[in-house]
Amino acid sequence: MSDLLDQYRIPTEPYYRSVADEVSLFEAAYSVRMPMMLKGPTGCGKTRFVEYMAYRLNRPLITVACNEDMTASDLVGRFLLDRDGTRWQDGPLATAARLGAICYLDEVVEARQDTTVVIHPLTDNRRVLPLEKKGELLKAHPDFQLVISYNPGYQSLMKDLKQSTKQRFGALDFNYPEHDIERDIVAHETGVTTEIADKLVAIAERARNLKGHGLDEGISTRMLVYAGNLIAKGVSAHNACRVALVRPITDDPDMRDALDAAVTTFF
């Protein structure tokens, strides 16, 4: 069992810059095994934060990238057929609950609502997971914690969490870091100079001001790291920004021209 747990451990400390009191709040939540919900735009550091906290708490981390085709069986488990007959295979949620890992459901609203309902018994005082097909009531390991994330900017009547689900979690709000912190993150993650990182963040801030005015989403910290990595490999700053920042977020010619002009202003 230790070998199974080891594959889910974070081997080295992830780089994470705290922007408020989110680290201490999460530690307090984990101490009472409170399920946690991380809310914020795409690419602002939610996943990195969970990885950092798993390392800090010395807990294995099982991450599930949720999607609209994900079924309850994908989370909980199913019977599989092999040459010896049928055998039960735990899904990632059941594995985490059984072994005492942190289970992170990334972008949980992408999953169907009838799928997310299966997490309810794990998020109250019962802390159990019914494995109905197997006829087992799995009691969660004392170290188990459930963490979910989603982007409120994409929520709609069709894609939002039910109140019956939301109210089972504590919540932390995430956003893009302040300028100086984001600059240091980009410089650390990519190896580019602080001056270049500063310019990349300035470009992102201009793009974020256009959210809702031609852009569905702004340039994320993750995208800035992509651009910085290209620059560090010798790609010109203008081409790196075009490939990693501008082209991925819009197909509108006028918006592309406006963002390209912003890049030219700084590079």
Side-chain angles (χ1 to χ4, degrees), residues 82-146:
D82 59 24
R83 63 182 181 182
D84 297 321
T86 58
R87 62 181 178 86
W88 175 262
Q89 177 68 53
D90 277 343
L93 182 60
T95 299
R98 196 182 296 279
L99 300 180
I102 295 174
C103 185
Y104 176 48
L105 304 183
D106 188 21
E107 297 297 344
V108 69
V109 294
E110 295 298 326
R112 299 198 308 256
Q113 288 187 336
D114 61 334
T115 299
T116 57
V117 168
V118 303
I119 70 178
H120 285 189
L122 282 170
T123 54
D124 55 31
N125 63 303
R126 292 173 291 175
R127 283 176 60 85
V128 296
L129 180 62
L131 306 180
E132 295 178 357
K133 294 181 179 179
K134 190 183 180 187
E136 176 186 356
L137 187 63
L138 172 60
K139 185 172 178 59
H141 189 285
D143 293 334
F144 168 77
Q145 185 190 31
L146 182 63

Side-chain angles (χ1 to χ4, degrees), residues 29 49 56 61 68 102 159 174 199 206:
F49 172 72
R56 187 180 175 98
L61 175 67
E68 61 186 8
I102 295 174
K159 281 197 171 182
F174 283 76
K199 292 178 178 179
R206 287 201 176 187

